[in-house]
């Protein structure tokens, strides 16, 4: 737990430094994901309407819902970047019923935060190959590229630009939870101290007897 807290502190420091830097323009040649993770990125192009993917089990403020992912064709290239467009609530009566998705037409410019991936949740059983309009638990860029036969950039963008499409873009901070890990570490250290104290007291009593 102490190690996890230290890792998240390092992420927070990297995030603050990189988000304070000017936004990068994403073109036909993209930097390695390690070089630009957490940087703000600008990209011009258009969404591929036929390939929305819905990531399940992504609650927001205690409400069940989905992250909407969609490929974005970078202008003047044959390269696509996977964009996490935002969050939508789940239909309480039918989880497979989605509200109409409002997607901008034509060439636009969007801003987003570069990430390795969108994060993973626990999944039991085999992972199905992604397909258009599918509801999936997890998704990585490599499997999406294989299923869609699109040339994908090695990064994912968490969209920041508001498109008046009804999607919520309140992305979780990857460095959150430091205090939780510290709390768990304190509990484990406390239990270890209690066990050591019990061992010493018990040993003294046995020795006296």
């Amino acid at each position: 737990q102490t190690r996890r807290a230290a890792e998240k502190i390092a992420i927070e420091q990297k995030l603050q430094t990189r988000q304070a830097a000017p936004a990068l323009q994403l073109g036909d040649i993209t930097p390695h994901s390690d070089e630009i993770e957490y940087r703000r990125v600008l990209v011009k192009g258009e969404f591929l309407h036929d390939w929305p993917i819905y990531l399940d089990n992504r609650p927001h403020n205690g409400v069940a819902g989905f992250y909407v992912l969609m490929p974005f064709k970078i202008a003047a290239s044959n390269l696509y970047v996977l964009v996490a467009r935002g969050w939508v609530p789940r239909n309480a009566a039918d989880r497979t019923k989605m509200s109409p998705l409002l997607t901008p037409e034509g060439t636009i410019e969007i801003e987003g935060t570069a990430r390795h991936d969108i994060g993973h949740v626990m999944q039991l059983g085999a992972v199905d190959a992604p397909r258009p309009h599918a509801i999936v638990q997890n998704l990585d860029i490599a499997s999406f590229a294989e299923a869609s036969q699109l040339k994908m950039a090695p990064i994912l963008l968490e969209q920041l630009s508001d498109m008046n499409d009804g999607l919520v873009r309140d992305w979780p901070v990857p460095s959150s939870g430091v205090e939780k890990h510290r709390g768990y570490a304190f509990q484990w250290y406390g239990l270890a101290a209690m066990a050591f104290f019990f061992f010493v007291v018990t040993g003294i009593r046995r020795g006296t007897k």
Side-chain angles (χ1 to χ4, degrees), residues 195-205:
F196 178 75
F197 178 76
F198 177 80
F199 174 79
V200 171
V201 171
T202 303
I204 292 173
R205 287 180 178 177

Side-chain angles (χ1 to χ4, degrees), residues 48-82:
L48 185 60
H49 295 225
D50 297 337
W51 260 100
I53 297 286
Y54 298 89
L55 290 190
D56 202 356
N57 291 327
R58 264 59 177 192
H60 179 260
N61 291 336
V63 179
F66 306 92
Y67 285 162
V68 180
L69 273 63
M70 187 176 287
F72 187 86
K73 188 177 188 297
I74 300 174
S77 77
N78 64 343
L79 189 65
Y80 292 77
V81 62
L82 194 58

Side-chain angles (χ1 to χ4, degrees), residues 109-152:
E109 184 174 61
I110 62 173
E111 181 177 357
T113 301
R115 295 290 307 275
H116 281 303
D117 53 54
I118 196 63
H120 290 74
V121 298
M122 183 178 293
Q123 179 169 344
L124 301 176
V127 179
D128 294 331
R131 63 185 188 281
H133 304 278
I135 297 175
V136 298
Q137 297 291 324
N138 296 295
L139 182 69
D140 61 75
I141 297 172
S143 62
F144 181 84
E146 182 178 358
S148 64
Q149 295 298 297
L150 299 174
K151 183 181 178 183
M152 302 299 300

Side-chain angles (χ1 to χ4, degrees), residues 37-55:
E37 188 173 30
Y38 310 128
R39 284 288 299 268
R40 291 181 298 113
V41 172
L42 294 171
V43 58
K44 184 176 293 186
E46 57 185 316
F47 282 110
L48 185 60
H49 295 225
D50 297 337
W51 260 100
I53 297 286
Y54 298 89
L55 290 190

